[in-house]
């Protein structure tokens, strides 16, 4: 089901399936900023990555001493979220463990997602609550896909990403399909930047990230979109043997809550 938030200058639509943004538009521009999930290229739109970012190449993870078959980036991208409440400028959704999630992640949790629309900027806040009788281990990341080009009269390689700090030479990365042929996923570990701007010089998406995000990645599968992806951590695909609890994870004690957030404005 689709839920809508509207400000003076923008309209945001969020789908309960995968808790993804279905549309984000300004009222003064004929531009859809979000990728539409066309399965000819990539059926997702802006999935939440939990309880792991990427996956081992064999798609098997060892939890609590047992092997489990997993999907790349976890299960929220294939899950129906529960709508909790709507206020004037905020939507609240929740996902918790059930029979389906326990088949690939044997932990009890609640995952809450809050979308808040302020003018032309959406703030996305997350809470993970440990419902285990013990520690909870997980990874976390974002995978939003933005139309590229935004302007129908421009091309993919008219676009670039500006970094707040010099995480790339000159603080600017020019986009091209050749870049993603060379680097299928362009990864920056421990970026200094907290602000990343997708731009054609006129139309922009300005992303701001929490300091808990330790990795920034870009991805495009030779398609009319680009993903700007802040991650907390990730699994190296070639590591098929390390038990999940021994990997680089967020660890919560029983009853604890993990908070993290990011935002992006459409200009």
């Amino acid at each position: 089901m689709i839920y809508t938030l509207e400000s003076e200058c923008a309209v945001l639509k969020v789908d309960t399936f995968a808790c993804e943004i279905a549309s984000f538009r300004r009222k003064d521009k004929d531009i859809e900023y979000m990728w539409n999930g066309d399965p000819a290229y990539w059926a997702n739109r802006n999935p939440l990555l939990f309880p792991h970012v990427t996956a081992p190449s064999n798609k098997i993870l060892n939890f609590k001493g047992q092997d489990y078959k997993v999907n790349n980036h976890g299960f929220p991208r294939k899950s129906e979220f529960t709508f909790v409440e709507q206020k004037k400028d905020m939507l609240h959704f929740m996902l918790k463990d059930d029979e389906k999630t326990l088949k690939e992640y044997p932990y009890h949790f609640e995952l809450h997602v809050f979308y808040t629309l302020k003018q032309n900027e959406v703030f996305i806040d997350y809470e993970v609550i440990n419902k285990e009788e013990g520690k909870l281990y997980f990874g976390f990341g974002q995978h939003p896909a933005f139309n590229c080009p935004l302007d129908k009269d421009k091309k993919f390689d008219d676009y670039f990403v500006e970094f707040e700090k010099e995480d790339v030479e000159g603080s600017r990365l020019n986009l091209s399909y050749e870049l993603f042929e060379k680097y299928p996923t362009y990864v920056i570990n421990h970026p200094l930047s907290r602000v990343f701007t997708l731009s054609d010089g006129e139309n922009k998406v300005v992303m701001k990230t929490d300091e808990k995000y330790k990795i920034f990645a870009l991805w495009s599968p030779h398609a009319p979109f680009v993903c700007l992806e802040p991650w907390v951590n990730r699994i190296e695909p070639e590591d098929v043997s390390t038990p999940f609890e021994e990997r680089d994870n967020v660890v919560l004690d029983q009853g604890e809550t993990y908070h993290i957030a990011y935002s992006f404005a459409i200009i």
Side-chain angles (χ1 to χ4, degrees):
M1 185 172 178
I2 302 291
Y3 289 86
T4 301
L5 291 175
E6 187 169 349
S7 69
E8 292 179 2
C9 63
V11 178
L12 176 78
K13 296 181 182 292
V14 181
D15 196 335
T16 52
F17 185 77
C19 202
E20 290 184 315
I21 298 175
S23 176
F24 195 18
R25 304 179 70 99
R26 291 179 61 101
K27 294 180 178 179
D28 60 347
K29 288 187 177 184
D30 185 24
I31 292 176
E32 173 58 69
Y33 285 79
M34 307 305 300
W35 171 242
N36 63 12
D38 181 351
Y41 295 99
W42 186 55
N44 287 119
R45 295 176 289 198
N46 37 88
L48 161 61
L49 314 183
F50 174 89
H52 49 86
V53 179
T54 70
S57 59
N58 61 358
K59 300 299 187 290
I60 293 176
L61 280 170
N62 186 281
F63 300 101
K64 299 182 178 181
Q66 295 185 22
D67 288 343
Y68 289 78
K69 188 72 174 177
V70 300
N71 291 301
N72 196 39
H73 295 318
F75 47 76
R77 58 191 271 186
K78 300 178 182 295
S79 299
E80 183 72 23
F81 280 65
T82 299
F83 169 71
V84 179
E85 66 172 331
Q86 179 168 4
K87 296 181 180 179
K88 181 179 179 181
D89 62 353
M90 186 274 289
L91 293 167
H92 177 193
F93 303 90
M94 179 183 69
L95 181 69
K96 62 181 180 179
D97 61 274
D98 58 20
E99 184 178 340
K100 181 181 177 182
T101 69
L102 289 169
K103 289 180 179 178
E104 58 178 288
Y105 181 63
Y107 289 92
H108 300 291
F109 68 91
E110 285 185 6
L111 170 58
H112 294 262
V113 185
F114 302 85
Y115 286 95
T116 304
L117 180 62
K118 299 290 188 183
Q119 295 301 324
N120 63 326
E121 187 169 12
V122 59
F123 297 82
I124 312 173
D125 295 83
Y126 304 93
E127 292 181 354
V128 180
I129 304 173
N130 181 5
K131 295 292 185 177
E132 280 283 297
E133 294 183 359
K135 295 184 183 297
L136 183 71
Y137 303 82
F138 61 91
F140 207 84
Q142 315 306 326
H143 204 310
F146 302 99
N147 284 326
C148 188
L150 297 166
D151 185 332
K152 296 182 178 66
D153 294 327
K154 296 187 176 179
K155 306 183 299 298
F156 186 90
D157 55 8
D158 290 326
Y159 285 76
F160 53 90
V161 175
E162 291 182 324
F163 292 75
E164 177 189 25
K165 307 290 185 179
E166 197 161 347
D167 291 304
V168 296
E169 186 176 355
S171 302
R172 171 170 162 162
L173 182 67
N174 294 317
L175 298 184
S176 67
Y177 292 133
E178 290 74 19
L179 174 70
F180 293 107
E181 289 170 3
K182 184 176 181 180
Y183 305 101
T185 302
Y186 191 98
V187 177
I188 299 172
N189 292 304
H190 303 289
L192 299 174
S193 300
R194 294 290 112 200
V195 182
F196 309 88
T197 302
L198 172 67
S199 177
D200 60 17
E202 179 181 2
N203 305 293
K204 299 179 181 180
V205 176
V206 181
M207 178 180 290
K208 300 175 184 178
T209 65
D210 192 308
E211 291 184 357
K212 293 177 183 176
Y213 291 106
K214 303 300 184 184
I215 303 169
F216 185 75
L218 298 98
W219 176 71
S220 180
H222 210 291
F225 69 84
V226 64
C227 293
L228 308 184
E229 306 180 38
W231 302 342
V232 173
N233 50 14
R234 64 170 171 166
I235 288 174
E236 298 294 346
E238 62 272 15
D239 182 356
V240 298
S241 61
T242 302
F244 191 75
E245 294 82 1
E246 297 177 14
R247 294 176 184 268
D248 176 24
N249 284 307
V250 178
V251 183
L252 289 184
D253 287 329
Q254 182 177 350
E256 282 190 337
T257 299
Y258 175 79
H259 300 268
I260 193 168
Y262 82 125
S263 70
F264 50 88
I266 52 176
I267 297 171

Short mmCIF file of all heavy atoms in Angstrom, two decimals, residues 205-238:
data_model
loop_
_atom_site.label_atom_id
_atom_site.label_comp_id
_atom_site.label_asym_id
_atom_site.label_seq_id
_atom_site.Cartn_x
_atom_site.Cartn_y
_atom_site.Cartn_z
N VAL A 205 20.46 16.03 -6.29
CA VAL A 205 20.06 15.30 -5.10
C VAL A 205 21.19 15.49 -4.10
O VAL A 205 22.34 15.14 -4.39
CB VAL A 205 19.84 13.80 -5.37
CG1 VAL A 205 19.52 13.08 -4.06
CG2 VAL A 205 18.74 13.58 -6.39
N VAL A 206 20.87 16.05 -2.93
CA VAL A 206 21.89 16.32 -1.92
C VAL A 206 21.66 15.37 -0.74
O VAL A 206 20.67 15.50 -0.02
CB VAL A 206 21.86 17.78 -1.45
CG1 VAL A 206 22.95 18.02 -0.39
CG2 VAL A 206 22.03 18.72 -2.63
N MET A 207 22.57 14.42 -0.56
CA MET A 207 22.45 13.41 0.49
C MET A 207 23.35 13.77 1.67
O MET A 207 24.52 14.13 1.49
CB MET A 207 22.85 12.04 -0.07
CG MET A 207 22.81 10.91 0.96
SD MET A 207 23.27 9.30 0.24
CE MET A 207 21.85 8.98 -0.80
N LYS A 208 22.79 13.64 2.88
CA LYS A 208 23.54 13.87 4.11
C LYS A 208 23.48 12.60 4.95
O LYS A 208 22.40 12.04 5.13
CB LYS A 208 22.95 15.04 4.89
CG LYS A 208 22.97 16.35 4.11
CD LYS A 208 22.25 17.47 4.87
CE LYS A 208 22.19 18.74 4.05
NZ LYS A 208 21.45 19.82 4.76
N THR A 209 24.62 12.16 5.46
CA THR A 209 24.68 10.87 6.14
C THR A 209 25.17 10.99 7.58
O THR A 209 25.99 11.85 7.91
CB THR A 209 25.60 9.90 5.39
OG1 THR A 209 26.94 10.39 5.41
CG2 THR A 209 25.16 9.72 3.95
N ASP A 210 24.66 10.11 8.40
CA ASP A 210 25.08 9.94 9.79
C ASP A 210 26.54 9.48 9.83
O ASP A 210 27.01 8.77 8.94
CB ASP A 210 24.16 8.87 10.42
CG ASP A 210 24.27 8.77 11.92
OD1 ASP A 210 25.40 8.64 12.43
OD2 ASP A 210 23.23 8.79 12.58
N GLU A 211 27.26 9.85 10.88
CA GLU A 211 28.67 9.44 11.02
C GLU A 211 28.82 7.94 11.22
O GLU A 211 29.92 7.40 11.08
CB GLU A 211 29.33 10.19 12.17
CG GLU A 211 29.52 11.68 11.90
CD GLU A 211 30.25 12.39 13.01
OE1 GLU A 211 30.56 11.74 14.03
OE2 GLU A 211 30.53 13.59 12.85
N LYS A 212 27.73 7.24 11.54
CA LYS A 212 27.81 5.80 11.72
C LYS A 212 28.01 5.08 10.39
O LYS A 212 28.42 3.91 10.37
CB LYS A 212 26.55 5.28 12.41
CG LYS A 212 26.39 5.75 13.84
CD LYS A 212 25.09 5.27 14.46
CE LYS A 212 24.92 5.81 15.87
NZ LYS A 212 23.60 5.43 16.45
N TYR A 213 27.71 5.75 9.29
CA TYR A 213 27.95 5.14 7.97
C TYR A 213 29.43 5.24 7.65
O TYR A 213 29.97 6.32 7.44
CB TYR A 213 27.11 5.84 6.90
CG TYR A 213 25.63 5.59 7.02
CD1 TYR A 213 24.78 6.58 7.51
CD2 TYR A 213 25.08 4.38 6.65
CE1 TYR A 213 23.41 6.36 7.60
CE2 TYR A 213 23.71 4.15 6.75
CZ TYR A 213 22.89 5.14 7.23
OH TYR A 213 21.53 4.90 7.34
N LYS A 214 30.11 4.09 7.57
CA LYS A 214 31.56 4.04 7.41
C LYS A 214 32.00 3.78 5.97
O LYS A 214 33.20 3.77 5.68
CB LYS A 214 32.14 2.94 8.31
CG LYS A 214 31.81 3.10 9.79
CD LYS A 214 32.34 4.40 10.36
CE LYS A 214 32.08 4.48 11.86
NZ LYS A 214 32.50 5.78 12.42
N ILE A 215 31.04 3.53 5.07
CA ILE A 215 31.35 3.21 3.68
C ILE A 215 30.38 3.98 2.79
O ILE A 215 29.20 4.14 3.14
CB ILE A 215 31.21 1.70 3.40
CG1 ILE A 215 32.13 0.89 4.33
CG2 ILE A 215 31.52 1.36 1.94
CD1 ILE A 215 31.85 -0.61 4.31
N PHE A 216 30.86 4.45 1.65
CA PHE A 216 29.99 5.07 0.66
C PHE A 216 30.26 4.38 -0.68
O PHE A 216 31.40 4.25 -1.09
CB PHE A 216 30.26 6.57 0.53
CG PHE A 216 29.30 7.27 -0.40
CD1 PHE A 216 28.00 7.54 0.00
CD2 PHE A 216 29.70 7.64 -1.67
CE1 PHE A 216 27.11 8.17 -0.86
CE2 PHE A 216 28.82 8.28 -2.53
CZ PHE A 216 27.52 8.55 -2.12
N ALA A 217 29.19 3.92 -1.32
CA ALA A 217 29.33 3.19 -2.57
C ALA A 217 28.43 3.79 -3.64
O ALA A 217 27.39 4.39 -3.34
CB ALA A 217 28.99 1.72 -2.37
N LEU A 218 28.82 3.61 -4.89
CA LEU A 218 28.00 3.99 -6.04
C LEU A 218 27.86 2.79 -6.95
O LEU A 218 28.81 2.00 -7.12
CB LEU A 218 28.63 5.16 -6.82
CG LEU A 218 28.81 6.47 -6.07
CD1 LEU A 218 30.24 6.58 -5.56
CD2 LEU A 218 28.50 7.65 -6.98
N TRP A 219 26.69 2.66 -7.57
CA TRP A 219 26.43 1.50 -8.43
C TRP A 219 25.42 1.87 -9.51
O TRP A 219 24.44 2.57 -9.24
CB TRP A 219 25.88 0.34 -7.60
CG TRP A 219 25.49 -0.88 -8.38
CD1 TRP A 219 26.32 -1.76 -9.01
CD2 TRP A 219 24.15 -1.36 -8.64
NE1 TRP A 219 25.60 -2.76 -9.61
CE2 TRP A 219 24.27 -2.54 -9.40
CE3 TRP A 219 22.88 -0.90 -8.28
CZ2 TRP A 219 23.15 -3.26 -9.82
CZ3 TRP A 219 21.77 -1.61 -8.69
CH2 TRP A 219 21.91 -2.79 -9.46
N SER A 220 25.68 1.38 -10.72
CA SER A 220 24.71 1.47 -11.81
C SER A 220 24.98 0.33 -12.78
O SER A 220 26.11 0.16 -13.24
CB SER A 220 24.81 2.80 -12.56
OG SER A 220 23.86 2.85 -13.60
N PRO A 221 23.96 -0.47 -13.09
CA PRO A 221 24.15 -1.62 -13.98
C PRO A 221 23.91 -1.27 -15.45
O PRO A 221 23.14 -1.92 -16.14
CB PRO A 221 23.11 -2.60 -13.47
CG PRO A 221 21.98 -1.72 -13.05
CD PRO A 221 22.61 -0.47 -12.50
N HIS A 222 24.58 -0.20 -15.93
CA HIS A 222 24.37 0.29 -17.30
C HIS A 222 22.87 0.54 -17.51
O HIS A 222 22.25 0.05 -18.46
CB HIS A 222 24.90 -0.70 -18.33
CG HIS A 222 25.38 -0.03 -19.59
ND1 HIS A 222 24.54 0.58 -20.48
CD2 HIS A 222 26.63 0.12 -20.09
CE1 HIS A 222 25.24 1.07 -21.49
NE2 HIS A 222 26.52 0.82 -21.27
N ALA A 223 22.31 1.34 -16.61
CA ALA A 223 20.88 1.61 -16.57
C ALA A 223 20.66 3.11 -16.36
O ALA A 223 21.59 3.83 -15.98
CB ALA A 223 20.24 0.82 -15.44
N PRO A 224 19.44 3.60 -16.56
CA PRO A 224 19.18 5.04 -16.40
C PRO A 224 18.96 5.46 -14.95
O PRO A 224 18.01 6.18 -14.62
CB PRO A 224 17.93 5.26 -17.26
CG PRO A 224 17.21 3.96 -17.20
CD PRO A 224 18.28 2.91 -17.17
N PHE A 225 19.81 4.97 -14.08
CA PHE A 225 19.78 5.38 -12.68
C PHE A 225 21.16 5.15 -12.08
O PHE A 225 21.99 4.42 -12.62
CB PHE A 225 18.71 4.61 -11.88
CG PHE A 225 19.00 3.14 -11.68
CD1 PHE A 225 19.82 2.70 -10.65
CD2 PHE A 225 18.46 2.19 -12.53
CE1 PHE A 225 20.09 1.35 -10.46
CE2 PHE A 225 18.72 0.84 -12.36
CZ PHE A 225 19.54 0.42 -11.32
N VAL A 226 21.38 5.78 -10.92
CA VAL A 226 22.60 5.55 -10.16
C VAL A 226 22.22 5.45 -8.70
O VAL A 226 21.34 6.16 -8.22
CB VAL A 226 23.64 6.66 -10.40
CG1 VAL A 226 23.16 8.02 -9.90
CG2 VAL A 226 24.98 6.30 -9.75
N CYS A 227 22.87 4.54 -7.98
CA CYS A 227 22.64 4.37 -6.55
C CYS A 227 23.75 5.05 -5.77
O CYS A 227 24.93 4.84 -6.06
CB CYS A 227 22.59 2.89 -6.19
SG CYS A 227 21.17 2.01 -6.88
N LEU A 228 23.36 5.86 -4.79
CA LEU A 228 24.29 6.45 -3.84
C LEU A 228 24.04 5.73 -2.52
O LEU A 228 22.98 5.88 -1.92
CB LEU A 228 24.04 7.95 -3.68
CG LEU A 228 23.99 8.79 -4.96
CD1 LEU A 228 23.82 10.28 -4.60
CD2 LEU A 228 25.23 8.59 -5.81
N GLU A 229 25.02 4.97 -2.03
CA GLU A 229 24.77 3.98 -0.99
C GLU A 229 25.66 4.17 0.25
O GLU A 229 26.83 3.81 0.24
CB GLU A 229 25.02 2.57 -1.54
CG GLU A 229 24.23 2.26 -2.82
CD GLU A 229 24.51 0.87 -3.33
OE1 GLU A 229 24.64 -0.05 -2.49
OE2 GLU A 229 24.62 0.70 -4.55
N PRO A 230 25.12 4.72 1.31
CA PRO A 230 25.85 4.74 2.58
C PRO A 230 25.66 3.42 3.32
O PRO A 230 24.53 2.96 3.50
CB PRO A 230 25.22 5.91 3.34
CG PRO A 230 23.83 6.04 2.77
CD PRO A 230 23.86 5.50 1.37
N TRP A 231 26.76 2.81 3.73
CA TRP A 231 26.73 1.54 4.45
C TRP A 231 27.43 1.70 5.80
O TRP A 231 28.42 2.42 5.91
CB TRP A 231 27.46 0.42 3.69
CG TRP A 231 26.96 0.12 2.32
CD1 TRP A 231 25.76 0.45 1.76
CD2 TRP A 231 27.68 -0.60 1.30
NE1 TRP A 231 25.68 -0.03 0.47
CE2 TRP A 231 26.84 -0.67 0.16
CE3 TRP A 231 28.94 -1.20 1.25
CZ2 TRP A 231 27.24 -1.32 -1.01
CZ3 TRP A 231 29.34 -1.84 0.08
CH2 TRP A 231 28.49 -1.90 -1.04
N VAL A 232 26.96 0.98 6.78
CA VAL A 232 27.64 0.91 8.07
C VAL A 232 28.81 -0.08 7.99
O VAL A 232 29.89 0.16 8.52
CB VAL A 232 26.66 0.49 9.19
CG1 VAL A 232 27.40 0.25 10.51
CG2 VAL A 232 25.59 1.56 9.37
N ASN A 233 28.57 -1.19 7.32
CA ASN A 233 29.57 -2.25 7.19
C ASN A 233 29.18 -3.11 6.00
O ASN A 233 28.18 -2.83 5.32
CB ASN A 233 29.66 -3.09 8.47
CG ASN A 233 28.27 -3.56 8.94
OD1 ASN A 233 27.28 -3.49 8.22
ND2 ASN A 233 28.20 -4.04 10.17
N ARG A 234 29.95 -4.16 5.74
CA ARG A 234 29.63 -5.04 4.62
C ARG A 234 30.32 -6.38 4.80
O ARG A 234 31.28 -6.51 5.57
CB ARG A 234 30.05 -4.43 3.28
CG ARG A 234 31.56 -4.24 3.15
CD ARG A 234 31.95 -3.86 1.74
NE ARG A 234 33.34 -3.46 1.64
CZ ARG A 234 34.01 -3.35 0.50
NH1 ARG A 234 33.40 -3.63 -0.64
NH2 ARG A 234 35.26 -2.98 0.48
N ILE A 235 29.83 -7.36 4.07
CA ILE A 235 30.45 -8.68 4.01
C ILE A 235 31.28 -8.76 2.73
O ILE A 235 30.80 -8.40 1.65
CB ILE A 235 29.38 -9.79 4.02
CG1 ILE A 235 28.73 -9.87 5.41
CG2 ILE A 235 29.95 -11.13 3.61
CD1 ILE A 235 27.57 -10.83 5.48
N GLU A 236 32.50 -9.22 2.85
CA GLU A 236 33.33 -9.44 1.67
C GLU A 236 32.85 -10.73 0.99
O GLU A 236 32.82 -11.79 1.64
CB GLU A 236 34.80 -9.56 2.05
CG GLU A 236 35.38 -8.31 2.70
CD GLU A 236 35.44 -7.12 1.75
OE1 GLU A 236 35.28 -7.32 0.52
OE2 GLU A 236 35.62 -6.00 2.24
N PRO A 237 32.46 -10.67 -0.27
CA PRO A 237 31.89 -11.86 -0.93
C PRO A 237 32.78 -13.10 -0.89
O PRO A 237 32.28 -14.22 -0.82
CB PRO A 237 31.67 -11.38 -2.37
CG PRO A 237 31.49 -9.91 -2.25
CD PRO A 237 32.42 -9.49 -1.14
N GLU A 238 34.09 -12.89 -0.90
CA GLU A 238 35.00 -14.05 -0.92
C GLU A 238 35.11 -14.73 0.44
O GLU A 238 35.62 -15.85 0.54
CB GLU A 238 36.38 -13.63 -1.41
CG GLU A 238 37.10 -12.62 -0.56
CD GLU A 238 36.77 -11.19 -0.92
OE1 GLU A 238 35.78 -10.95 -1.65
OE2 GLU A 238 37.52 -10.29 -0.46
#
